[in-house]
Amino acid sequence: MNHIFFILSIILLLPQLFVWAYKDDTVNIHFVPHTHDDVGWLKTVDQYYYGANESIQVAGVQYILDSVIPELMLDSNRHFIYVEMAFFMRWWRRQDDTMRENVKKLVRMGQLEFINGGWCMNDEAGTHYNAIIDQMSLGLRFIRDEFGDHARPTVAWHIDPFGHSSEQASIHAMIGFSSFYFARIDYQDYKTREKAQELQMVWQGSQTLGANSNIFTGALYHTSYGPPSTFCYDIRCKDPPIQDDPDLFDNNVEERVKTFLNYTLEQAKHHRTNDIMLTMGSDFQYMSAKSWYTNMDKLMKYVNKDSRVNAFYSTPSKFTKALYDANLKWKVKTDDFFPYADCPSCFWTGYFTSRPALKGYVRELNSFLQSCRHLEIFATRPVKSEKFRESVVGQGSHVLEEAMGVAQHHDAVSGTEKQHVANDYALRLHIGQNSCQNLIKGALNTLINGPSTIVFDFKFCEYLNISSCVHIQDSASYWFIVYNPMARSRKVPLRLPVKENSSYTLTDVKGNTLDIDLFPVSSITKSIAGTSGTGKYELNFIADLPALGYTRYELKYNKNKSRKISKIHKLNSAKSFTMKNNKMAVTFSDGKLTAVSDLTNGISLEMNQGYFEYNSSVGNEKHSHQASGAYIFRPNSSTPILISSTQTIQNINGKIVKEVRQTFSNWVSQVVRIFEGKDYVEFEYTIGPIPFKDGQGREIISRFCTPLQTHGVWYTDANGRSMQKRVRNFRPTWPLNQTEPAAGNYYPVNSRIALVDESKGIQFVLLNDRSQGGTSLKDGCIELMVHRRTLVDDKRGVGEPINETGQFGDGLIIRGKHYVILKHVKDIRHRSLGEEIMMSPTTAFSGSIEKSSRLGMFNFTGLAMELPYQIHLLTLSHDNASANTILLRFEHMFEETENNSTVTLSLANLFKYFTITSVVELGLGANAKLSDISRLHFATNNGVESKDWSQVYDPPFGDDLSIKLGPMQIRTFSAVYEWKD
Ligand SMILES: *[C@@H]1O[C@H](CO)[C@@H](O)[C@H](O)[C@H]1NC(C)=O
Ligand SMILES: *[C@@H]1O[C@H](CO)[C@@H](O)[C@H](O)[C@H]1NC(C)=O
Ligand SMILES: *[C@@H]1O[C@H](CO)[C@@H](O)[C@H](O)[C@H]1NC(C)=O
Ligand SMILES: [Zn+2]
């Protein structure tokens, strides 16, 4: 009996050994067993890992991996993919050597395949490209380090993010992925594509990089990453198992096979090749892998008796190869997949703004992490030893790296997690921030004084935006260091809280006295700071910072002298008033902004600005029960309401800063500033707590209206990089039936939104300091959503309204910044301003003045020469590969239409204190040599195919290791360096 069974099963398994022998007209059904493990959502990332807090959701990632591995070992036909390295790392480090060897073997055999391989599956609407690249590298490098190059993922897998950005596609192509699969796509777009057999395509994510940014892209059938209906075999699924023993009751094989064939043959009709993919799994599934594999084994066995199909275990990379081998030409997509709607009144455009404080914190820490990494390297010079890490640096930058990696998840920075999970992300980020503060403290001490002991107990002020810092606000005199993470010197306006209204002297490192302005702290700021207090005054100055370096400032209080405080002028709101310096003029009348002029180029523009609210729908209309919530923006009217009950307007004119303070209501106010030497206008808004006691959810926007003729067109950035053209009530690839006039025109604005009037030759760019939703609902107008509070859940799973509370008051208060520039059409100023905003400096405060007079390096630049204006130093960090290597990324910031120069950069002598002796070029994920990365280049019906990046880039040349960078290119290097003496 046993023997017969054995022989039988060998015969039954035989067809599966020949799966790659294609039969014409047979539908090849790729079973892709997978689990979708959110790196935090309804539970925190650690709760999901352990399977804690099960009353919220039954999900424990440790059991998934524990359960899948033995099932794979039982049968070499079985496959599984794993995606989220934040979880895999947690599991891996707890395994013994035997288990690790088993897993390595499964990876070598291709049974277990890493797909995507980032730390998380990142959000695409709220993320910044710098953070995306960092989180992808973190996961991909973990895979390389533990499993080697053969385990390198080749497929991007974003099955859950709620809309897809062009920059994400382009990043995937630069990492070296051959294909990109996702599930969520607008329902109208889906229907059109399904009908036309266009669910699969080639996506060209960057118009400047052209065909080289092409990536084969597939939208999953039925917009679902789950199994076909009634074929879910997880232990908690309610679907029938395959009951195939003739001696037992309820044999269902015939019915199951019929239903399965009906589904899959229908699916095949909507695809151009004979290959279809079934995503066999879903959220946190495979905690009991046996039930899945047992039933899939049987299902395949019985369906394969029908000659029309050939079902087998597969992976997305094998599926991709099969499609590639079909040798077809594919249609090219050049726009993106925003916004995403899953029904007529269900636009997922609320999450573009949800949790604005978390979004702001994540963005702020992006530049802080870069500073931390820079100083981690620079400070090893005096010690020239790896001991530095333990002795001075402590835990290093990786604590913040991992926290940032987790925070990019599509239920983290997106704002679509439960409140307790949002708190957990913020806590992790804060722990990472503290770790980097310690690192920077050690690094600065080492750079200033050599590797002795910590002399200066630097303090960091995290609440300077509300003029609050317990370390300095009551000190009379102190000094501080400002670090600039940008590879160019720059002048940055800074603001510090001070106690007295008497005379202060601020001197730079050379002993020069700087211009300062003392402004009284506003009552709004004081009320926000509450019990933690503020200084009484704000000291404004402009710091002049070296490239990739720091400098020192000293603040001295002179008791006996007194300085004139800039006076607050109450303005008569009825009268027109112009605030002006030598660069900008800003006019107000009737208490409102009415015009802005750039005096450097003579452009003057009428501009009305104000704050408005959309009232959130609670889903009680006849035709729709969709409420506005964490994911979805659904106003009960598409016309926003002006917020302006009471209004005061004040003006303060300093020598270097001029500001107008406007109060629109007791929860909406802003300060409009212009700075000496700066060609932009800064709007610092303070919004909240949003009133809710009338039961009304509110979504607040700042709106600017101008007479610009824009013909329904505006531009938004993709993840802080390339600009996307947007057209009102229009989608480039299908005839849109616009069902939500406001929400259906919202797009992610990660760094800027712009209007262009070709006839006037003017562009108006509005930049922000965190991701927000934005649109242009009327020609000449743009709006950004700055805050939202919705009082009901929008039924997409999170089960909570977005109803954030703050430290003070009965709701979260948001303070953020917008920047306005007015330029001629071809002007590229928005790029450099964007870079300045993204790379905010870090300030470290020390105690007494006396100590600073010690000798030491109080002025430091890490560069021998500044980078050309086109080039952004995207990464300078330790390369874990070995102690004497660093990781470098250089980015050309411009689109071809903006600046098409190819820039040559010499790497050898770029840095001041070390020489780069050799470099190896890597893919964007820093996980493989560029020359080892080859992608599948799918043929397109425009006749242009992508090339491998190693074919696109000239290798570094000359003794000075020169590289060339063209528009929008990012090049990544592992560099060996030697300290100069
Ligand atoms: C076959 O599939 C179609 C949809 O694809 C469905 O409407 C129909 O009910 C199915 N028939 C059977 C017998 O399962
Ligand atoms: C557009 O969508 C609405 C809402 O679903 C629907 O009532 C209407 O018939 C659609 N119009 C067209 C032209 O399809
Ligand atoms: C929103 O938050 C406030 C303040 O914490 C609370 O009083 C109120 O009950 C909350 N409302 C809802 C619908 O959750
Ligand atoms: Zn998810």
Side-chain angles (χ1 to χ4, degrees):
M1 180 67 185
N2 271 343
H3 284 212
I4 291 165
F5 178 76
F6 181 63
I7 290 162
L8 262 180
S9 50
I10 285 196
I11 291 166
L12 287 171
L13 283 171
L14 268 180
Q16 297 185 17
L17 297 177
F18 297 107
V19 291
W20 300 112
Y22 280 104
K23 309 167 205 167
D24 282 340
D25 300 332
T26 301
V27 175
N28 296 298
I29 304 175
H30 296 248
F31 276 61
V32 175
H34 80 106
T35 180
H36 176 68
D37 298 347
D38 288 310
V39 181
W41 179 39
L42 308 180
K43 311 203 288 190
T44 68
V45 54
D46 287 356
Q47 289 169 352
Y48 273 132
Y49 175 71
Y50 281 124
N53 213 350
E54 296 289 87
S55 64
I56 291 185
Q57 186 183 9
V58 180
V61 173
Q62 59 171 336
Y63 308 127
I64 294 173
L65 289 159
D66 285 348
S67 149
V68 164
I69 302 303
E71 288 300 316
L72 294 180
M73 290 166 65
L74 281 179
D75 180 347
S76 63
N77 282 303
R78 291 175 174 176
H79 287 63
F80 194 70
I81 62 171
Y82 203 78
V83 174
E84 299 86 1
M85 289 306 118
F87 283 126
F88 191 85
M89 175 279 291
R90 280 168 165 74
W91 183 82
W92 184 246
R93 66 183 179 201
R94 291 173 53 252
Q95 304 309 310
D96 61 20
D97 288 346
T98 317
M99 179 52 95
R100 287 185 177 200
E101 276 317 308
N102 288 336
V103 173
K104 281 181 180 173
K105 190 172 166 211
L106 290 171
V107 171
R108 260 198 315 277
M109 305 274 289
Q111 280 183 263
L112 176 63
E113 194 176 313
F114 296 112
I115 295 290
N116 210 63
W119 207 243
C120 66
M121 180 187 293
N122 66 251
D123 176 33
E124 299 186 46
T127 42
H128 187 271
Y129 71 98
N130 193 166
I132 293 175
I133 293 168
D134 280 351
Q135 83 82 12
M136 285 305 296
S137 301
L138 189 61
L140 290 169
R141 285 155 68 84
F142 168 84
I143 295 169
R144 177 200 67 182
D145 293 347
E146 299 296 333
F147 296 92
D149 192 54
H150 65 91
R152 171 159 45 88
T154 61
V155 175
W157 187 255
H158 273 207
I159 54 176
D160 199 22
F162 333 124
H164 309 282
S165 79
S166 297
E167 191 57 36
Q168 185 74 55
S170 174
I171 287 171
H172 284 332
M174 287 191 276
I175 285 173
F177 293 140
S178 290
S179 58
F180 180 7
Y181 298 96
F182 55 74
R184 295 188 186 272
I185 173 174
D186 179 278
Y187 71 100
Q188 292 181 14
D189 194 3
Y190 180 82
K191 270 188 209 152
T192 314
R193 289 178 180 280
E194 189 190 76
K195 223 190 228 162
Q197 285 193 337
E198 285 177 4
L199 291 172
Q200 290 157 349
M201 72 211 87
V202 165
W203 188 0
Q204 181 177 310
S206 162
Q207 299 332 298
T208 292
L209 296 174
N212 292 322
S213 67
N214 283 0
I215 186 162
F216 181 80
T217 298
L220 299 180
Y221 188 57
H222 283 177
T223 71
S224 159
Y225 57 82
S229 169
T230 73
F231 292 92
C232 180
Y233 297 120
D234 201 42
I235 199 88
R236 284 171 293 126
C237 295
K238 307 276 189 300
D239 296 340
I242 306 292
Q243 295 155 189
D244 59 344
D245 188 333
D247 294 340
L248 300 184
F249 286 176
D250 303 330
N251 188 304
N252 64 0
V253 171
E254 195 182 333
E255 177 276 326
R256 293 280 73 203
V257 168
K258 205 169 143 200
T259 306
F260 182 84
L261 291 177
N262 179 43
Y263 183 92
T264 49
L265 293 174
E266 177 67 21
Q267 178 171 350
K269 280 190 207 152
H270 298 287
H271 291 86
R272 295 178 65 206
T273 74
N274 279 341
D275 289 87
I276 60 168
M277 171 157 62
L278 299 185
T279 44
M280 302 305 281
S282 196
D283 296 8
F284 298 97
Q285 291 201 355
Y286 287 78
M287 276 161 65
S288 168
K290 186 168 276 318
S291 66
W292 261 113
Y293 285 109
T294 302
N295 286 289
M296 284 190 293
D297 286 348
K298 288 185 191 171
L299 181 61
M300 283 189 246
K301 172 175 126 183
Y302 294 112
V303 301
N304 280 340
K305 294 186 170 165
D306 189 306
S307 64
R308 290 173 297 172
V309 301
N310 176 29
F312 48 90
Y313 286 114
S314 182
T315 66
S317 65
K318 292 178 179 175
F319 177 66
T320 302
K321 180 69 168 61
L323 294 184
Y324 178 77
D325 290 340
N327 242 325
L328 299 178
K329 287 187 163 54
W330 301 88
K331 208 163 165 179
V332 179
K333 156 108 175 164
T334 55
D335 62 319
D336 64 3
F337 291 95
F338 282 121
Y340 163 60
D342 56 2
C343 83
S345 39
C346 318
F347 281 87
W348 296 44
T349 52
Y351 83 99
F352 298 164
T353 301
S354 293
R355 303 195 186 281
L358 181 64
K359 284 181 163 73
Y361 194 31
V362 168
R363 184 64 58 83
E364 178 191 329
L365 290 183
N366 179 62
S367 65
F368 188 62
L369 173 59
Q370 310 312 321
S371 297
C372 181
R373 289 166 164 173
H374 299 171
L375 288 164
E376 189 172 22
I377 290 170
F378 292 140
T380 54
R381 181 184 81 103
V383 242
K384 291 186 189 174
S385 114
E386 273 298 292
K387 284 230 166 103
F388 174 76
R389 263 175 180 271
E390 299 125 51
S391 64
V392 188
V393 172
Q395 301 198 72
S397 56
H398 75 266
V399 183
L400 183 55
E401 259 167 28
E402 287 186 17
M404 281 289 281
V406 165
Q408 308 309 316
H409 166 61
H410 60 268
D411 295 303
V413 69
S414 59
T416 55
E417 64 281 52
K418 282 190 183 289
Q419 186 61 48
H420 81 103
V421 180
N423 297 345
D424 181 73
Y425 291 128
L427 175 63
R428 283 168 197 279
L429 290 168
H430 195 254
I431 291 168
Q433 183 180 21
N434 284 341
S435 174
C436 265
Q437 286 171 349
N438 281 334
L439 185 154
I440 291 174
K441 183 166 137 183
L444 288 177
N445 271 281
T446 308
L447 284 168
I448 294 170
N449 282 324
S452 46
T453 47
I454 300 269
V455 177
F456 305 122
D457 186 21
F458 288 109
K459 303 286 190 205
F460 296 82
C461 297
E462 289 158 27
Y463 302 103
L464 288 179
N465 64 338
I466 51 167
S467 293
S468 175
C469 181
V470 289
H471 307 303
I472 56 166
Q473 69 201 28
D474 297 326
S475 337
S477 303
Y478 55 88
W479 60 278
F480 55 97
I481 298 277
V482 189
Y483 178 76
N484 170 25
M486 236 170 82
R488 267 179 291 284
S489 55
R490 63 195 282 211
K491 293 189 169 149
V492 188
L494 294 177
R495 198 163 81 227
L496 304 172
V498 291
K499 186 182 181 182
E500 301 292 340
N501 62 356
S502 299
S503 181
Y504 285 91
T505 320
L506 184 69
T507 47
D508 67 14
V509 73
K510 294 185 189 114
N512 302 319
T513 303
L514 274 74
D515 283 340
I516 56 171
D517 287 328
L518 278 190
F519 289 3
V521 171
S522 72
S523 51
I524 290 161
T525 298
K526 281 185 189 151
S527 76
I528 295 174
T531 49
S532 68
T534 63
K536 282 193 184 121
Y537 301 92
E538 292 168 350
L539 184 148
N540 291 281
F541 72 105
I542 297 196
D544 193 349
L545 305 176
L548 210 65
Y550 63 78
T551 191
R552 183 195 63 187
Y553 292 95
E554 267 184 25
L555 185 68
K556 277 202 185 119
Y557 168 55
N558 311 307
K559 204 172 178 180
N560 302 322
K561 294 182 194 164
S562 78
R563 163 183 274 271
K564 235 174 83 191
I565 306 293
S566 304
K567 277 229 178 70
I568 299 182
H569 303 283
K570 283 219 167 91
L571 296 178
N572 178 343
S573 64
K575 277 197 190 148
S576 171
F577 161 81
T578 298
M579 172 172 76
K580 190 173 160 183
N581 62 18
N582 58 355
K583 297 266 181 184
M584 302 300 291
V586 189
T587 303
F588 298 82
S589 46
D590 288 335
K592 282 182 294 208
L593 177 88
T594 51
V596 172
S597 308
D598 183 329
L599 306 174
T600 66
N601 57 20
I603 295 176
S604 191
L605 196 63
E606 272 177 50
M607 190 181 289
N608 279 287
Q609 185 263 350
Y611 290 87
F612 297 77
E613 65 178 46
Y614 289 101
N615 288 342
S616 315
S617 170
V618 291
N620 57 359
E621 292 96 25
K622 237 190 207 152
H623 66 283
S624 172
H625 298 302
Q626 183 58 56
S628 212
Y631 304 85
I632 284 166
F633 170 35
R634 178 142 195 268
N636 65 12
S637 157
S638 293
T639 311
I641 304 158
L642 181 69
I643 302 170
S644 71
S645 36
T646 57
Q647 207 176 87
T648 64
I649 177 162
Q650 302 172 336
N651 161 242
I652 310 179
N653 280 328
K655 230 168 140 181
I656 49 175
V657 183
K658 296 181 169 44
E659 59 182 47
V660 161
R661 297 175 175 179
Q662 289 169 285
T663 312
F664 301 100
S665 78
N666 61 1
W667 58 279
V668 178
S669 64
Q670 75 178 357
V671 182
V672 183
R673 296 193 181 91
I674 53 175
F675 302 93
E676 194 62 28
K678 296 290 180 188
D679 62 347
Y680 58 80
V681 185
E682 177 183 289
F683 293 75
E684 188 171 40
Y685 52 82
T686 304
I687 313 286
I690 298 176
F692 67 99
K693 288 189 175 137
D694 56 358
Q696 184 59 61
R698 291 182 165 81
E699 316 192 33
I700 317 306
I701 59 163
S702 173
R703 192 176 79 185
F704 295 76
C705 281
T706 70
L708 293 176
Q709 303 280 311
T710 52
H711 309 290
V713 174
W714 71 100
Y715 299 84
T716 60
D717 68 302
N719 306 106
R721 234 174 152 238
S722 54
M723 295 302 279
Q724 311 293 308
K725 182 178 177 178
R726 307 300 185 186
V727 182
R728 198 174 313 124
N729 299 328
F730 177 80
R731 304 288 186 264
T733 62
W734 85 88
L736 174 70
N737 176 6
Q738 182 60 279
T739 48
E740 283 283 331
N745 280 309
Y746 258 69
Y747 289 90
V749 178
N750 306 109
S751 71
R752 72 208 73 170
I753 179 168
L755 292 177
V756 175
D757 182 332
E758 296 286 347
S759 63
K760 292 195 181 71
I762 298 175
Q763 57 162 318
F764 158 35
V765 190
L766 178 62
L767 295 98
N768 57 11
D769 62 355
R770 71 199 66 196
S771 293
Q772 295 167 326
T775 188
S776 168
L777 294 185
K778 265 192 241 155
D779 283 1
C781 295
I782 43 186
E783 65 187 56
L784 287 176
M785 190 181 286
V786 291
H787 198 1
R788 56 201 307 263
R789 185 176 206 173
T790 69
L791 300 176
V792 292
D793 175 53
D794 58 7
K795 300 203 181 78
R796 290 304 182 283
V798 72
E800 286 181 2
I802 282 278
N803 182 19
E804 296 178 282
T805 53
Q807 212 171 339
F808 313 103
D810 54 5
L812 181 65
I813 300 170
I814 291 296
R815 176 167 283 186
K817 287 180 183 175
H818 289 154
Y819 306 82
V820 163
I821 55 173
L822 283 183
K823 296 292 173 190
H824 291 297
V825 167
K826 291 277 176 241
D827 196 299
I828 52 180
R829 169 65 173 142
H830 70 97
R831 291 284 171 199
S832 57
L833 183 56
E835 188 191 22
E836 287 167 33
I837 296 167
M838 141 193 189
M839 301 304 284
S840 49
T842 289
T843 307
F845 296 90
S846 184
S848 67
I849 279 284
E850 291 70 37
K851 279 182 179 171
S852 75
S853 54
R854 281 161 152 262
L855 289 177
M857 185 154 51
F858 288 103
N859 198 46
F860 170 90
T861 171
L863 289 178
M865 61 192 122
E866 297 193 10
L867 292 190
Y869 73 95
Q870 297 96 332
I871 308 302
H872 174 64
L873 176 66
L874 183 58
T875 305
L876 165 61
S877 74
H878 272 292
D879 181 356
N880 302 338
S882 76
N884 65 339
T885 60
I886 49 174
L887 190 64
L888 291 168
R889 281 194 191 90
F890 299 97
E891 173 200 357
H892 193 304
M893 292 188 290
F894 295 90
E895 300 265 13
E896 197 159 31
T897 50
E898 296 171 329
N899 182 305
N900 66 359
S901 56
T902 295
V903 181
T904 304
L905 188 68
S906 139
L907 302 186
N909 302 307
L910 184 61
F911 295 95
K912 188 167 178 186
Y913 296 99
F914 55 82
T915 309
I916 290 181
T917 55
S918 67
V919 293
V920 174
E921 183 151 20
L922 308 176
L924 185 65
N927 62 328
K929 282 186 192 172
L930 198 68
S931 55
D932 288 347
I933 298 175
S934 77
R935 308 201 292 136
L936 296 177
H937 303 290
F938 283 71
T940 61
N941 58 10
N942 67 15
V944 192
E945 278 176 35
S946 50
K947 282 188 238 152
D948 279 332
W949 293 102
S950 55
Q951 307 287 297
V952 176
Y953 295 142
D954 292 332
F957 57 90
D959 292 340
D960 60 351
L961 300 173
S962 287
I963 58 159
K964 285 184 182 164
L965 273 163
M968 282 282 134
Q969 292 180 348
I970 303 177
R971 296 184 66 176
T972 306
F973 299 94
S974 171
V976 177
Y977 70 113
E978 270 172 21
W979 292 106
K980 298 177 189 172
D981 284 317

